[in-house]
């Protein structure tokens, strides 16, 4: 396919997606489902270890609901780098079908092949899942009580630079072009979710993050659409920042406590939320929700750490991030009291465990046992 034909095919693909967004069915209220099926997807590297921690903790926490048939667990295999490479498929059909049998699922980190890995250039499994399940909102809370920080990030999950990350064009030996996609519909539904949350949390301030002074068409549309949604919420203070100054303001402890809810396009959200997690104590401490109208995925925000497993240190991995994601999942399905119990147990573990990832630290099993005993 020549360059013009490939570009035209991308445009047609995205126009069809816009039409599908316009005609999307009404969202499911997860909290009102009579029965909820929770999937467990192990992933790569330390993924099986930290996912098993969640399986054990949730098994104890939800044992009554499981016994009554209101909750069902499903183990989903096959989202491993070995299986994906063997099938040359980022998201094998049987894995996607099994995930779609669930309402929500917890996913361990997965490996994405990069330059120099000697592996096929497969797309990120996370990106594929977000697109296939239309998980448009990546929600990441960050709290540091002693610094009066209570932030929630709403990162757009299905558009931006990542939407066509595997469909860039090598125009010539010297020229490569990638694409950035922003739609009114995709931005509006994210902004609606963010403002609804901000209102429910006591009218928290909302800050829109872009680089609209440079990316005038895409980021300009994102900014304009978010402000249009803001008109429906006059009681909420709304402002905006460019992404570069936002990264600086997050570490300005004289004023960063004024922030509440952030709305960000995909790439900026990926970067800024990792910075914010580091302020909280590192990416190993932060959970993440990927929410759509029909499905929801909950995960750690860190990677699969294959070196830890290769060096025999996997048992020292920290499941806290996945357990924090489990708290978010419980709230999403209407189990607020169970979420509070798990969150309190996690908070009680602070300062009691030394999760270094090495032999001089505690193991995932030791932390998991403590959490179960303190539910």
């Amino acid at each position: 396919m020549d360059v013009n034909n490939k570009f035209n095919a991308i445009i047609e693909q995205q126009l069809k997606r816009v039409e599908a967004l316009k005609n999307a069915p009404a969202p499911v209220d997860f909290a009102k489902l009579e029965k909820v099926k929770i999937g467990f997807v192990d992933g790569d590297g330390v993924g099986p270890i930290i996912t098993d921690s969640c399986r054990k903790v949730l098994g104890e926490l939800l044992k009554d609901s499981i016994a009554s048939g209101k909750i069902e667990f499903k183990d989903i295999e096959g989202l491993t780098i070995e299986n994906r490479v063997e099938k040359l498929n980022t998201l094998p059909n049987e894995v996607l079908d099994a995930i779609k049998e669930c309402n929500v699922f917890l996913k361990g980190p997965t490996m994405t092949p990069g330059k120099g890995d000697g592996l096929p250039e497969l797309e990120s499994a996370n990106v594929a899942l977000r697109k296939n399940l239309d998980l448009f909102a990546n929600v990441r809370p960050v709290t540091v009580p002693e610094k009066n920080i209570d932030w929630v990030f709403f990162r757009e999950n299905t558009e931006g630079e990542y939407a066509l990350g595997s469909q860039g064009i090598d125009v010539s030996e010297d020229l490569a072009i990638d694409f950035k996609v922003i739609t009114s519909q995709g931005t509006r539904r994210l902004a609606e979710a963010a403002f609804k949350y901000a209102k429910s949390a006591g009218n928290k301030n909302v800050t829109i993050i872009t680089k609209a002074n440079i990316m005038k068409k895409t980021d300009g549309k994102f900014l304009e659409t978010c402000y249009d949604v803001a008109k429906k919420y006059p009681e909420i203070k709304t402002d905006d920042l460019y992404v570069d100054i936002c990264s600086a303001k997050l570490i300005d402890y004289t004023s960063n406590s004024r922030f509440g809810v952030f709305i960000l396009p995909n790439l900026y959200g990926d970067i800024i939320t990792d910075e914010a997690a580091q302020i909280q104590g590192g990416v190993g401490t932060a959970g993440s929700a990927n929410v759509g109208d029909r499905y929801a995925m909950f995960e750690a925000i860190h990677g699969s750490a294959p070196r830890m497993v290769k060096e025999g240190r996997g048992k020292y991995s920290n499941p806290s991030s996945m357990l924090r994601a489990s708290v978010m999942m419980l709230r999403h399905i209407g189990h607020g009291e169970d979420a509070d119990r798990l969150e309190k147990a996690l908070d009680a573990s602070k300062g009691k465990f030394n999760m270094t990832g090495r032999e001089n630290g505690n193991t995932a099993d030791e932390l998991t046992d403590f959490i179960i005993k303190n539910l």
Side-chain angles (χ1 to χ4, degrees), residues 128-335:
L129 282 165
R130 289 165 183 163
K131 288 195 293 188
N132 277 276
L133 301 177
D134 202 22
L135 306 176
F136 61 84
N138 182 212
V139 185
R140 297 183 177 184
V142 169
T143 58
V144 188
E146 62 271 22
K147 294 180 180 177
N148 201 27
I149 289 173
D150 184 13
W151 303 330
V152 180
F153 296 83
F154 281 76
R155 166 194 171 193
E156 205 293 317
N157 233 0
T158 59
E159 300 187 352
E161 293 84 350
Y162 292 2
L164 299 172
S166 61
Q167 298 181 51
I169 297 175
D170 287 315
V171 178
S172 71
E173 184 177 338
D174 302 308
L175 176 62
I177 295 178
D178 280 314
F179 301 97
K180 178 171 184 171
V181 175
I182 297 290
T183 68
S184 301
Q185 292 76 16
T187 304
R188 183 171 297 277
R189 64 183 181 177
L190 176 75
E192 290 279 7
F195 276 99
K196 285 178 183 176
Y197 173 84
K199 183 176 180 179
S200 70
N203 294 333
K204 293 170 76 73
N205 295 346
V206 171
T207 303
I208 308 159
I209 306 301
T210 69
K211 195 64 177 170
N213 57 332
I214 304 298
M215 310 297 290
K216 299 182 187 299
K217 299 299 183 184
T218 50
D219 284 22
K221 178 177 286 295
F222 189 94
L223 184 64
E224 180 183 7
T225 304
C226 287
Y227 269 122
D228 189 49
V229 173
K231 294 174 184 177
K232 296 167 58 178
Y233 299 87
E235 68 278 17
I236 293 176
K237 182 181 178 181
T238 303
D239 62 6
D240 65 272
L241 285 174
Y242 296 137
V243 63
D244 45 354
I245 195 64
C246 175
S247 67
K249 290 294 185 182
L250 288 187
I251 56 173
D252 180 357
Y253 294 107
T254 65
S255 62
N256 63 6
S257 61
R258 73 177 178 86
F259 294 124
V261 173
F262 296 81
I263 310 177
L264 311 92
N266 206 334
L267 175 60
Y268 308 153
D270 192 7
I271 296 167
I272 291 295
T273 53
D274 277 6
E275 180 192 10
Q278 192 64 34
I279 293 169
Q280 180 177 254
V283 294
T285 67
S288 173
N290 299 267
V291 179
D293 287 339
R294 292 187 61 196
Y295 306 99
M297 173 175 72
F298 300 83
E299 60 179 345
I301 72 168
H302 58 73
S304 58
R307 182 181 296 179
M308 282 187 67
V309 175
K310 185 177 181 180
E311 295 177 357
R313 296 186 287 112
K315 67 179 182 179
Y316 298 101
S317 55
N318 187 350
S320 295
S321 184
M322 279 285 281
L323 289 166
R324 293 286 179 186
S326 299
V327 171
M328 300 176 74
M329 183 200 71
L330 290 166
R331 292 209 169 97
H332 189 71
I333 62 174
H335 282 249

Side-chain angles (χ1 to χ4, degrees), residues 36-202:
V36 177
K37 184 178 283 190
I38 301 172
F40 293 86
V41 183
D42 285 350
D44 299 311
V46 299
I49 298 165
I50 61 176
T51 304
D52 189 55
S53 172
C54 293
R55 191 183 288 109
K56 291 174 180 175
V57 169
L58 291 173
E60 176 63 25
L61 187 61
L62 299 172
K63 60 184 178 183
D64 291 341
S65 295
I66 294 169
S68 67
K70 293 181 180 179
I71 296 284
E72 179 182 343
F73 287 179
K74 180 179 178 63
D75 291 329
I76 300 169
E77 300 178 350
L79 198 66
T80 62
I81 188 62
E82 294 82 7
N83 190 43
R84 287 179 282 143
V85 166
E86 179 183 344
K87 297 184 175 178
L88 292 178
N89 189 343
T90 295
L91 189 53
N93 294 335
E94 70 276 10
V95 177
L96 181 59
D97 290 343
I99 288 172
K100 285 183 174 181
E101 292 177 13
C102 302
N103 305 108
V104 298
F105 63 103
L106 285 155
K107 187 191 77 65
T110 48
M111 178 182 176
T112 302
K115 292 288 186 182
D117 287 339
L119 297 172
E121 291 186 12
L122 295 175
E123 184 181 32
S124 158
N126 269 13
V127 172
L129 282 165
R130 289 165 183 163
K131 288 195 293 188
N132 277 276
L133 301 177
D134 202 22
L135 306 176
F136 61 84
N138 182 212
V139 185
R140 297 183 177 184
V142 169
T143 58
V144 188
E146 62 271 22
K147 294 180 180 177
N148 201 27
I149 289 173
D150 184 13
W151 303 330
V152 180
F153 296 83
F154 281 76
R155 166 194 171 193
E156 205 293 317
N157 233 0
T158 59
E159 300 187 352
E161 293 84 350
Y162 292 2
L164 299 172
S166 61
Q167 298 181 51
I169 297 175
D170 287 315
V171 178
S172 71
E173 184 177 338
D174 302 308
L175 176 62
I177 295 178
D178 280 314
F179 301 97
K180 178 171 184 171
V181 175
I182 297 290
T183 68
S184 301
Q185 292 76 16
T187 304
R188 183 171 297 277
R189 64 183 181 177
L190 176 75
E192 290 279 7
F195 276 99
K196 285 178 183 176
Y197 173 84
K199 183 176 180 179
S200 70

